Amino acid sequence: EKGGYEHFMLKEINEQPRALRDTLKGRISHAGDKVILDEIKMTPEEVQNIKRVIITACGTAYHAGLVGKYVIEQLVRVPVEVDIASEFRYRDPLVDKDTLVVVVSQSGETADTLAALREARRRGARVVAITNVIASSVAREADDIIYTWAGPEISVASTKAYTTQLVAMYLLALYLAQERNTLAAGNIKEILDDLKSIYAKAQEVLDDIEPIKEFAEKYHKAEDTFFIGRGLDYAVALEGSLKLKEISYIHAEAYAAGELKHGTLALIVENIPVIALATQQSLFEKMVSNIKEVKARDASVIALAMEGHTEVEKVADQVLYIPKTHPVLAPIITVIPLQLLAYYMAVYRGCDVDKPRNLAKSVTVE
Ligand code: M6R
């Protein structure tokens, strides 16, 4: 049942190209210039009337929401808030009929996410659910559903659910941009072109795991690690650090790279592994400076950058290149080396990868 893999997690990481393709299937027009989301039943007027978007979820799904915020704000120019479901449900949220609430849940059964959904609907918001389980509680109670077609995810650590949630977010953002005319048709097509081929780039990353394995072998005894990034890379850094904590029990902190100076830099000491994400072209120079900052404290830096951005080699100890893609789509492929890093770190430490201590796959109680 593990399809020849040692763990479900590794199998599921490797299933991502297929899962990404399935999640896109039928959702891009033949000409490649339009998003087709028939499952969204909002009238054109309702789409026009959206004043705010709130995304709410837990754990990894929340991290997909953080990517959603950047992308929806950038493409649709509507304010987006992201809230942890257990916070949202108890904070008397400002929600009304012009608020679009997006809940994200792989299982569709997470107690806090379901409660957040109910709270949002009670206050008159329309709720779109992004979920992986057909007829799950979240799917049954939402107004609209965008299914991710990741297939069953067995490993407690979420991998293919996350990358397919990202695809659902991109589709939703592009759909809103198209319906509200906030993006030129050419720009929509350009992103869709790259989205269609993202699965092949994910495969390229999966075909080149040796450097990650070596890094994991070298640093698996580390007690503390840092993930730094800016913009979309910061959202991915949070997901990478959660994955590492969850299955390898290594302490990992994710920081917006610009925040280092405001406290965290005090913790950067000799040989501490720092995973620096530098895939965003517009923020690249800033990241190079942040890498210099941690190198000045003798950290061991592995950087992730897009192909061609070789300048980073001068500052980082090691560089992993991800295939070139539209910068907004980079999280889908940037996270894969981080999933693999967490996986191999956990394997080298002898951890129970698929069933980390104290955790359940689906948190159906508070
Ligand atoms: O089923 P859900 O997407 O609602 O689950 C949310 C979180 O419990 C889940 O993503 C959790 O954080 C993962 N184990 C992380 O890998």
Side-chain angles (χ1 to χ4, degrees):
E1 44 172 25
K2 290 183 198 151
Y5 291 99
E6 208 180 322
H7 297 98
F8 281 111
M9 183 180 177
L10 189 58
K11 171 174 179 262
E12 289 161 5
I13 289 173
N14 277 284
E15 279 169 352
Q16 289 179 109
R18 194 272 311 143
L20 293 168
R21 242 162 69 182
D22 284 355
T23 304
L24 280 171
K25 209 176 278 165
R27 287 170 165 166
I28 299 178
S29 67
H30 203 67
D33 57 349
K34 274 192 152 296
V35 177
I36 307 166
L37 274 185
D38 292 338
E39 49 268 77
I40 305 274
K41 308 283 185 217
M42 271 181 270
T43 63
E45 205 193 337
E46 282 169 323
V47 174
Q48 288 305 331
N49 285 343
I50 299 169
K51 303 273 181 315
R52 280 169 72 219
V53 176
I54 298 182
I55 305 173
T56 184
C58 302
T60 285
Y62 167 75
H63 293 154
L66 294 175
V67 172
K69 174 186 164 78
Y70 280 95
V71 175
I72 296 172
E73 285 193 340
Q74 194 174 326
L75 305 184
V76 193
R77 307 309 292 166
V78 67
V80 183
E81 224 179 296
V82 195
D83 215 348
I84 292 170
S86 57
E87 292 295 317
F88 177 86
R89 64 182 290 197
Y90 293 121
R91 77 174 167 90
D92 197 8
L94 290 167
V95 174
D96 61 19
K97 62 170 189 10
D98 296 333
T99 313
L100 180 69
V101 172
V102 182
V103 300
V104 190
S105 175
Q106 186 282 129
S107 63
E109 302 298 344
T110 299
D112 284 322
T113 308
L114 187 57
L117 177 160
R118 288 178 178 152
E119 185 60 29
R121 292 202 73 221
R122 206 175 59 78
R123 290 173 189 247
R126 190 171 184 106
V127 176
V128 174
I130 295 177
T131 183
N132 194 40
V133 179
I134 298 170
S136 56
S137 302
V138 160
R140 276 185 279 114
E141 295 193 29
D143 296 292
D144 309 280
I145 316 164
I146 305 176
Y147 281 115
T148 51
W149 298 108
E153 193 180 62
I154 310 292
S155 164
V156 166
S158 187
T159 53
K160 61 178 181 171
Y162 173 76
T163 44
T164 54
Q165 283 159 359
L166 295 185
V167 168
M169 280 294 178
Y170 293 122
L171 290 169
L172 177 62
L174 289 163
Y175 173 80
L176 294 175
Q178 154 188 310
E179 300 302 306
R180 288 166 67 116
N181 262 315
T182 53
L183 207 60
N187 293 342
I188 294 185
K189 185 168 187 307
E190 193 192 337
I191 300 176
L192 286 176
D193 279 346
D194 272 13
L195 197 52
K196 278 193 292 189
S197 62
I198 203 81
Y199 76 93
K201 292 172 187 167
Q203 189 59 55
E204 273 181 55
V205 176
L206 289 166
D207 290 339
D208 187 23
I209 61 166
E210 262 335 289
I212 283 285
K213 233 173 138 169
E214 281 164 26
F215 187 83
E217 187 174 17
K218 194 160 160 203
Y219 290 105
H220 73 276
K221 294 214 169 86
E223 281 171 18
D224 303 291
T225 55
F226 286 85
F227 289 73
I228 58 172
R230 286 172 179 258
L232 283 167
D233 280 332
Y234 172 46
V236 179
L238 284 161
E239 173 58 8
S241 81
L242 172 62
K243 218 93 298 175
L244 188 65
K245 285 182 267 207
E246 182 176 25
I247 59 167
S248 77
Y249 318 144
I250 296 174
H251 170 225
E253 298 248 10
Y255 258 85
E259 270 290 293
L260 283 174
K261 279 197 191 74
H262 301 283
T264 328
L265 212 45
L267 293 171
I268 303 291
V269 292
E270 200 180 340
N271 287 332
I272 203 160
V274 174
I275 296 95
L277 309 185
T279 72
Q280 297 295 303
Q281 173 127 38
S282 60
L283 298 164
F284 184 73
E285 293 306 326
K286 298 275 165 206
M287 275 309 296
V288 168
S289 317
N290 293 131
I291 295 173
K292 282 186 191 150
E293 260 168 20
V294 294
K295 270 314 297 173
R297 274 99 196 155
D298 290 323
S300 298
V301 180
I302 182 166
L304 261 72
M306 253 187 221
E307 259 161 22
H309 280 176
T310 49
E311 200 193 315
V312 70
E313 287 173 21
K314 290 190 212 128
V315 287
D317 297 287
Q318 205 179 328
V319 183
L320 285 179
Y321 290 106
I322 60 157
K324 265 218 165 72
T325 185
H326 192 289
V328 295
L329 304 179
I332 299 182
I333 41 181
T334 309
V335 77
I336 295 175
L338 306 187
Q339 296 168 341
L340 288 164
L341 178 66
Y343 174 77
Y344 286 110
M345 290 278 221
V347 168
Y348 284 123
R349 288 166 74 96
C351 298
D352 190 352
V353 173
D354 286 334
K355 287 198 174 60
R357 65 187 182 207
N358 310 338
L359 299 175
K361 178 66 184 161
S362 182
V363 185
T364 54
V365 289
E366 257 193 85

PDB file of all heavy atoms in Angstrom, residues 37-53:
ATOM      1  N   LEU A  37     -14.438  27.536 -12.812  1.00  0.00           N
ATOM      2  CA  LEU A  37     -14.750  27.018 -11.475  1.00  0.00           C
ATOM      3  C   LEU A  37     -16.262  26.941 -11.349  1.00  0.00           C
ATOM      4  O   LEU A  37     -16.886  27.740 -10.670  1.00  0.00           O
ATOM      5  CB  LEU A  37     -14.169  27.938 -10.389  1.00  0.00           C
ATOM      6  CG  LEU A  37     -12.719  27.724  -9.946  1.00  0.00           C
ATOM      7  CD1 LEU A  37     -12.373  28.645  -8.774  1.00  0.00           C
ATOM      8  CD2 LEU A  37     -12.421  26.267  -9.562  1.00  0.00           C
ATOM      9  N   ASP A  38     -16.834  25.953 -12.025  1.00  0.00           N
ATOM     10  CA  ASP A  38     -18.294  25.819 -12.010  1.00  0.00           C
ATOM     11  C   ASP A  38     -18.828  25.565 -10.607  1.00  0.00           C
ATOM     12  O   ASP A  38     -20.003  25.789 -10.336  1.00  0.00           O
ATOM     13  CB  ASP A  38     -18.728  24.672 -12.934  1.00  0.00           C
ATOM     14  CG  ASP A  38     -18.453  25.016 -14.392  1.00  0.00           C
ATOM     15  OD1 ASP A  38     -18.353  26.230 -14.685  1.00  0.00           O
ATOM     16  OD2 ASP A  38     -18.311  24.093 -15.212  1.00  0.00           O
ATOM     17  N   GLU A  39     -17.935  25.082  -9.748  1.00  0.00           N
ATOM     18  CA  GLU A  39     -18.392  24.765  -8.395  1.00  0.00           C
ATOM     19  C   GLU A  39     -18.653  26.014  -7.555  1.00  0.00           C
ATOM     20  O   GLU A  39     -19.269  25.938  -6.513  1.00  0.00           O
ATOM     21  CB  GLU A  39     -17.413  23.825  -7.691  1.00  0.00           C
ATOM     22  CG  GLU A  39     -15.941  24.199  -7.737  1.00  0.00           C
ATOM     23  CD  GLU A  39     -15.177  23.592  -8.919  1.00  0.00           C
ATOM     24  OE1 GLU A  39     -15.343  24.121 -10.047  1.00  0.00           O
ATOM     25  OE2 GLU A  39     -14.407  22.655  -8.719  1.00  0.00           O
ATOM     26  N   ILE A  40     -18.194  27.183  -8.037  1.00  0.00           N
ATOM     27  CA  ILE A  40     -18.503  28.432  -7.332  1.00  0.00           C
ATOM     28  C   ILE A  40     -19.827  28.966  -7.892  1.00  0.00           C
ATOM     29  O   ILE A  40     -19.904  29.323  -9.070  1.00  0.00           O
ATOM     30  CB  ILE A  40     -17.381  29.486  -7.544  1.00  0.00           C
ATOM     31  CG1 ILE A  40     -16.019  28.927  -7.126  1.00  0.00           C
ATOM     32  CG2 ILE A  40     -17.718  30.800  -6.841  1.00  0.00           C
ATOM     33  CD1 ILE A  40     -15.674  29.056  -5.680  1.00  0.00           C
ATOM     34  N   LYS A  41     -20.819  28.972  -7.041  1.00  0.00           N
ATOM     35  CA  LYS A  41     -22.156  29.323  -7.528  1.00  0.00           C
ATOM     36  C   LYS A  41     -22.527  30.785  -7.282  1.00  0.00           C
ATOM     37  O   LYS A  41     -23.699  31.143  -7.328  1.00  0.00           O
ATOM     38  CB  LYS A  41     -23.218  28.426  -6.856  1.00  0.00           C
ATOM     39  CG  LYS A  41     -22.930  26.939  -6.959  1.00  0.00           C
ATOM     40  CD  LYS A  41     -23.254  26.395  -8.340  1.00  0.00           C
ATOM     41  CE  LYS A  41     -23.075  24.884  -8.387  1.00  0.00           C
ATOM     42  NZ  LYS A  41     -22.538  24.414  -9.658  1.00  0.00           N
ATOM     43  N   MET A  42     -21.556  31.611  -6.982  1.00  0.00           N
ATOM     44  CA  MET A  42     -21.849  33.018  -6.733  1.00  0.00           C
ATOM     45  C   MET A  42     -22.329  33.694  -8.019  1.00  0.00           C
ATOM     46  O   MET A  42     -21.811  33.403  -9.105  1.00  0.00           O
ATOM     47  CB  MET A  42     -20.576  33.734  -6.273  1.00  0.00           C
ATOM     48  CG  MET A  42     -20.368  33.703  -4.788  1.00  0.00           C
ATOM     49  SD  MET A  42     -18.869  34.599  -4.346  1.00  0.00           S
ATOM     50  CE  MET A  42     -17.669  33.293  -4.425  1.00  0.00           C
ATOM     51  N   THR A  43     -23.275  34.613  -7.894  1.00  0.00           N
ATOM     52  CA  THR A  43     -23.702  35.380  -9.065  1.00  0.00           C
ATOM     53  C   THR A  43     -22.622  36.432  -9.355  1.00  0.00           C
ATOM     54  O   THR A  43     -21.873  36.799  -8.451  1.00  0.00           O
ATOM     55  CB  THR A  43     -25.027  36.119  -8.795  1.00  0.00           C
ATOM     56  OG1 THR A  43     -24.793  37.058  -7.726  1.00  0.00           O
ATOM     57  CG2 THR A  43     -26.143  35.174  -8.403  1.00  0.00           C
ATOM     58  N   PRO A  44     -22.583  36.936 -10.609  1.00  0.00           N
ATOM     59  CA  PRO A  44     -21.589  37.976 -10.913  1.00  0.00           C
ATOM     60  C   PRO A  44     -21.694  39.147  -9.936  1.00  0.00           C
ATOM     61  O   PRO A  44     -20.698  39.732  -9.530  1.00  0.00           O
ATOM     62  CB  PRO A  44     -21.958  38.408 -12.334  1.00  0.00           C
ATOM     63  CG  PRO A  44     -22.668  37.231 -12.920  1.00  0.00           C
ATOM     64  CD  PRO A  44     -23.358  36.541 -11.788  1.00  0.00           C
ATOM     65  N   GLU A  45     -22.926  39.452  -9.536  1.00  0.00           N
ATOM     66  CA  GLU A  45     -23.127  40.556  -8.600  1.00  0.00           C
ATOM     67  C   GLU A  45     -22.494  40.254  -7.239  1.00  0.00           C
ATOM     68  O   GLU A  45     -21.850  41.109  -6.639  1.00  0.00           O
ATOM     69  CB  GLU A  45     -24.625  40.802  -8.461  1.00  0.00           C
ATOM     70  CG  GLU A  45     -24.936  42.219  -8.047  1.00  0.00           C
ATOM     71  CD  GLU A  45     -26.376  42.374  -7.615  1.00  0.00           C
ATOM     72  OE1 GLU A  45     -27.222  41.549  -8.017  1.00  0.00           O
ATOM     73  OE2 GLU A  45     -26.644  43.328  -6.866  1.00  0.00           O
ATOM     74  N   GLU A  46     -22.681  39.036  -6.776  1.00  0.00           N
ATOM     75  CA  GLU A  46     -22.085  38.658  -5.488  1.00  0.00           C
ATOM     76  C   GLU A  46     -20.562  38.738  -5.551  1.00  0.00           C
ATOM     77  O   GLU A  46     -19.918  39.178  -4.604  1.00  0.00           O
ATOM     78  CB  GLU A  46     -22.542  37.246  -5.086  1.00  0.00           C
ATOM     79  CG  GLU A  46     -23.948  37.221  -4.512  1.00  0.00           C
ATOM     80  CD  GLU A  46     -24.511  35.810  -4.360  1.00  0.00           C
ATOM     81  OE1 GLU A  46     -24.245  34.939  -5.229  1.00  0.00           O
ATOM     82  OE2 GLU A  46     -25.219  35.583  -3.378  1.00  0.00           O
ATOM     83  N   VAL A  47     -20.009  38.332  -6.675  1.00  0.00           N
ATOM     84  CA  VAL A  47     -18.547  38.391  -6.826  1.00  0.00           C
ATOM     85  C   VAL A  47     -18.085  39.856  -6.784  1.00  0.00           C
ATOM     86  O   VAL A  47     -17.101  40.200  -6.139  1.00  0.00           O
ATOM     87  CB  VAL A  47     -18.088  37.695  -8.129  1.00  0.00           C
ATOM     88  CG1 VAL A  47     -16.595  37.889  -8.355  1.00  0.00           C
ATOM     89  CG2 VAL A  47     -18.418  36.208  -8.100  1.00  0.00           C
ATOM     90  N   GLN A  48     -18.839  40.711  -7.452  1.00  0.00           N
ATOM     91  CA  GLN A  48     -18.482  42.145  -7.462  1.00  0.00           C
ATOM     92  C   GLN A  48     -18.567  42.760  -6.074  1.00  0.00           C
ATOM     93  O   GLN A  48     -17.817  43.677  -5.742  1.00  0.00           O
ATOM     94  CB  GLN A  48     -19.430  42.936  -8.391  1.00  0.00           C
ATOM     95  CG  GLN A  48     -19.235  42.707  -9.872  1.00  0.00           C
ATOM     96  CD  GLN A  48     -17.808  42.962 -10.340  1.00  0.00           C
ATOM     97  OE1 GLN A  48     -17.083  43.765  -9.783  1.00  0.00           O
ATOM     98  NE2 GLN A  48     -17.399  42.233 -11.372  1.00  0.00           N
ATOM     99  N   ASN A  49     -19.515  42.248  -5.272  1.00  0.00           N
ATOM    100  CA  ASN A  49     -19.777  42.868  -3.971  1.00  0.00           C
ATOM    101  C   ASN A  49     -18.808  42.477  -2.861  1.00  0.00           C
ATOM    102  O   ASN A  49     -18.880  43.025  -1.773  1.00  0.00           O
ATOM    103  CB  ASN A  49     -21.210  42.551  -3.513  1.00  0.00           C
ATOM    104  CG  ASN A  49     -22.216  43.383  -4.292  1.00  0.00           C
ATOM    105  OD1 ASN A  49     -21.853  44.385  -4.919  1.00  0.00           O
ATOM    106  ND2 ASN A  49     -23.462  42.955  -4.281  1.00  0.00           N
ATOM    107  N   ILE A  50     -17.932  41.538  -3.136  1.00  0.00           N
ATOM    108  CA  ILE A  50     -17.013  41.102  -2.070  1.00  0.00           C
ATOM    109  C   ILE A  50     -16.117  42.283  -1.677  1.00  0.00           C
ATOM    110  O   ILE A  50     -15.417  42.856  -2.503  1.00  0.00           O
ATOM    111  CB  ILE A  50     -16.129  39.922  -2.544  1.00  0.00           C
ATOM    112  CG1 ILE A  50     -16.986  38.711  -2.908  1.00  0.00           C
ATOM    113  CG2 ILE A  50     -15.094  39.546  -1.479  1.00  0.00           C
ATOM    114  CD1 ILE A  50     -16.214  37.610  -3.625  1.00  0.00           C
ATOM    115  N   LYS A  51     -16.169  42.616  -0.381  1.00  0.00           N
ATOM    116  CA  LYS A  51     -15.347  43.746   0.087  1.00  0.00           C
ATOM    117  C   LYS A  51     -14.083  43.264   0.792  1.00  0.00           C
ATOM    118  O   LYS A  51     -13.093  43.995   0.865  1.00  0.00           O
ATOM    119  CB  LYS A  51     -16.139  44.617   1.070  1.00  0.00           C
ATOM    120  CG  LYS A  51     -17.447  45.155   0.526  1.00  0.00           C
ATOM    121  CD  LYS A  51     -17.228  46.474  -0.208  1.00  0.00           C
ATOM    122  CE  LYS A  51     -18.507  47.078  -0.756  1.00  0.00           C
ATOM    123  NZ  LYS A  51     -19.431  46.170  -1.440  1.00  0.00           N
ATOM    124  N   ARG A  52     -14.186  42.084   1.371  1.00  0.00           N
ATOM    125  CA  ARG A  52     -13.049  41.538   2.126  1.00  0.00           C
ATOM    126  C   ARG A  52     -13.053  40.029   1.995  1.00  0.00           C
ATOM    127  O   ARG A  52     -14.106  39.423   1.804  1.00  0.00           O
ATOM    128  CB  ARG A  52     -13.222  41.810   3.619  1.00  0.00           C
ATOM    129  CG  ARG A  52     -12.865  43.172   4.075  1.00  0.00           C
ATOM    130  CD  ARG A  52     -13.357  43.341   5.494  1.00  0.00           C
ATOM    131  NE  ARG A  52     -12.574  42.567   6.448  1.00  0.00           N
ATOM    132  CZ  ARG A  52     -13.101  41.929   7.484  1.00  0.00           C
ATOM    133  NH1 ARG A  52     -14.382  41.914   7.701  1.00  0.00           N
ATOM    134  NH2 ARG A  52     -12.313  41.279   8.316  1.00  0.00           N
ATOM    135  N   VAL A  53     -11.886  39.463   2.164  1.00  0.00           N
ATOM    136  CA  VAL A  53     -11.794  38.001   2.196  1.00  0.00           C
ATOM    137  C   VAL A  53     -11.139  37.621   3.516  1.00  0.00           C
ATOM    138  O   VAL A  53     -10.177  38.267   3.950  1.00  0.00           O
ATOM    139  CB  VAL A  53     -10.951  37.463   1.008  1.00  0.00           C
ATOM    140  CG1 VAL A  53     -10.764  35.951   1.102  1.00  0.00           C
ATOM    141  CG2 VAL A  53     -11.590  37.839  -0.336  1.00  0.00           C
TER     142      VAL A  53
END
